[in-house]
Amino acid sequence: MWLAAVLILAQDTGEQYYRFAPGTSWVYEGTKEGRKQTNRLRIVREESGTVFLDHEIESGASSTRDSQCWYVENGVLVWGFLHDGKRVALYRLYKLDSKERDTWNAMDGEEITATHCGVRSITVPAGTFSNATWIHLSGRLGTTHAEFDFHLVPG
């Protein structure tokens, strides 16, 4: 009986990486095509296991806004967007219960592979985190080779 209770508690639901309180926000800065780009994400609400976000992108003098979402589907944490009120997967970020060197398809219709690269320490403007799960995406995005790194930290 105790073993069963421990196994249930140890099950990876992915919630540690995407379930945050409404109002929680992040700002990511980077470079795209040689220009500074700022991404702002803010949690709006959670409904039936899906977390809904406002997403604003500033690049130069232009700004765009869209609605995004995080959810678990078929055992994978998905970062998606809303189209006509429906969820559409963008990145399949984290495979539940995955371990270092595990791989999975990261994007529908693209030759992008996600690789679990282990847990490591990372320092970002928000602080130093010793338990960041590093996910590396690489492959063909259309006709271009693309690589992305995501560091998921339990909230």
Side-chain angles (χ1 to χ4, degrees):
M1 171 98 65
W2 282 102
L3 180 58
V6 171
L7 290 174
I8 289 171
L9 291 175
Q11 183 180 18
D12 185 0
T13 64
E15 290 184 7
Q16 70 274 24
Y17 296 129
Y18 80 101
R19 285 274 180 88
F20 298 95
T24 303
S25 63
W26 298 266
V27 176
Y28 302 94
E29 294 184 344
T31 304
K32 184 175 182 180
E33 299 172 354
R35 294 183 4 182
K36 179 183 174 188
Q37 180 173 300
T38 302
N39 289 270
R40 290 184 176 82
L41 291 167
R42 185 177 58 82
I43 304 285
V44 177
R45 71 183 191 285
E46 187 270 334
E47 184 178 303
S48 301
T50 298
V51 173
F52 295 90
L53 306 98
D54 275 338
H55 177 225
E56 181 182 7
I57 302 171
E58 291 179 3
S59 183
S62 67
S63 177
T64 60
R65 179 175 246 124
D66 63 14
S67 296
Q68 298 192 351
C69 53
W70 296 333
Y71 56 96
V72 171
E73 179 179 74
N74 299 323
V76 179
L77 173 59
V78 176
W79 184 344
F81 60 93
L82 298 176
H83 180 72
D84 293 333
K86 296 186 191 266
R87 302 182 313 193
V88 177
L90 181 59
Y91 302 114
R92 298 189 186 288
L93 282 183
Y94 173 73
K95 185 176 180 182
L96 303 186
D97 290 317
S98 62
K99 304 291 183 245
E100 189 170 353
R101 292 189 290 278
D102 285 351
T103 62
W104 58 93
N105 177 39
M107 295 180 75
D108 292 339
E110 302 290 346
E111 297 176 24
I112 301 285
T113 299
T115 303
H116 188 304
C117 296
V119 177
R120 69 180 190 168
S121 181
I122 185 169
T123 300
V124 295
T128 298
F129 301 91
S130 62
N131 58 344
T133 298
W134 175 20
I135 307 296
H136 181 74
L137 278 58
S138 65
R140 306 281 314 157
L141 186 57
T143 60
T144 306
H145 178 78
E147 296 198 33
F148 309 89
D149 285 301
F150 292 92
H151 293 85
L152 307 175
V153 177

